[in-house]
Amino acid sequence: MTALAIRLGAINLGQGFPDTDGPVGMLDVATAAIKGGVNQYPPGPGVPQLREAVARHRQRLYGLEYDPTAEVFITVGATEAISATVLATCERGDEVIVFEPYYDSYPAVIALSGATRRAVTLRPDGPTGRFAFDPDELRAAFGPRTRLILVNSPHNPTGTVFTRDELALIAELCVEHDVLAATDEVYEHLTYGGAEHIPLAQFPGMRERTFSISSAGKSFSVTGWKIGWVCAPPALVTAVQTVKQFTTFTANGALQLAVAHALEHELDWVRTQQAALEGKRDRLAAGLSAAGFEVHIPAGTYFVQADVRPLGSDDGTAFARSLPERAGIVAIPSSVFYDDAKAGQPYVRFAFCKKDEVIDEAVARLARL
């Protein structure tokens, strides 16, 4: 869809990348590091400054203590952290639970590992409502072959932020069935309307069985830097490192230093960005609603789910494919994020991490549909 946007000159509200840069201080540190000769292989587990900054960040925000020398590991973005975690822990005969709709790398890496995925569907709790799972469906997904559960909160693409009660149930089931968890927390700073991000590792019995994964890309508007991390007990970190050693080996050292600076000194910038994104969310949601969509307001992330049925279509995929030609706008059909494509068939995902004038132009085009 991004290639289509480029070819047609359409507004790209599909792929989740901002069209503005992150904090100037962070960019200056990266530039200075590159000019200062930080251009060769950094240590495989990550530069000490970043591992220490990640550990302090987790302790300061969530009260979770990690040893930066043994329990924090730097990866090429959160996507690599997730991939290395699945490949390190799962094999043929294992099952991995995912919540659908899911980030598109999840089914790919589960397939690469030889494991089988078990999808638990998030459904809206009414028109324009919050997407949530059925507790009984989640319980039924756990079984003797369950090895790992992937928990993405704040959740892409629905924007759901799992509640304390929802996370407590996930934790209870993990402990009961002796299952590992990998938490994709890349949108941890991007929650709205008072929604609170709660790490699964905080719950009883979970720190020792959880790969807590995040990255700099979304929080600091540098999605192309691909600097991520895993926080976990030493044995789990060693498992991830064993895979990464033979994939990318290490991540960009100069950018690691810049992210270390950002975690220590740029969280005020992140809070300003969070407020701006909440305004952009509301701006796009209002425009989509005025154009006739049924809009599900997200509590986090970069994305709005819009139901196309009020516009006379029940096929979000066909709608999204026609949108670039009809309106000069690109969005993503949500059905591609489901095992059960019918469950996602009415929905289209729009990204709001764009300049206000870009959102306004997109809304004006949608109004002419």
Side-chain angles (χ1 to χ4, degrees), residues 84-266:
T85 294
V86 174
L87 293 171
T89 58
C90 299
E91 58 188 21
R92 193 171 303 280
D94 291 335
E95 293 182 353
V96 180
I97 297 172
V98 296
F99 292 97
E100 66 171 1
Y102 39 62
Y103 177 54
D104 56 4
S105 81
Y106 297 175
V109 72
I110 293 167
L112 285 170
S113 75
T116 300
R117 71 177 177 272
R118 294 284 303 272
V120 176
T121 305
L122 302 179
R123 299 182 182 87
D125 56 11
T128 74
R130 174 183 183 271
F131 284 74
F133 62 84
D134 181 323
D136 290 334
E137 289 184 12
L138 180 62
R139 289 188 185 94
F142 280 80
R145 293 187 174 183
T146 308
R147 176 64 171 160
L148 181 73
I149 182 170
L150 287 170
V151 181
N152 174 208
S153 180
H155 181 266
N156 171 18
T158 69
T160 289
V161 178
F162 286 161
T163 66
R164 187 171 295 277
D165 286 346
E166 288 169 332
L167 292 165
L169 176 59
I170 295 169
E172 175 189 320
L173 291 168
C174 286
V175 172
E176 178 184 342
H177 293 273
D178 193 22
V179 167
L180 297 169
T183 58
D184 179 350
E185 303 177 41
V186 298
Y187 293 99
E188 61 184 307
H189 293 291
L190 303 182
T191 60
Y192 316 117
E196 179 188 10
H197 170 63
I198 306 168
L200 187 62
Q202 285 185 342
F203 288 80
M206 291 308 296
R207 188 198 180 284
E208 59 266 33
R209 66 178 67 248
T210 300
F211 300 84
S212 297
I213 294 167
S214 194
S215 73
K218 303 301 193 295
S219 295
F220 299 104
S221 294
V222 283
T223 59
W225 281 18
K226 302 299 292 179
I227 301 295
W229 49 85
V230 181
C231 297
L236 301 187
V237 165
T238 298
V240 172
Q241 183 170 0
T242 301
V243 172
K244 181 178 169 54
Q245 175 75 19
F246 300 107
T247 54
T248 59
F249 174 60
T250 192
N252 183 296
L255 301 185
Q256 288 189 52
L257 292 175
V259 173
H261 164 86
L263 287 171
E264 301 280 26
H265 302 292
E266 303 289 0

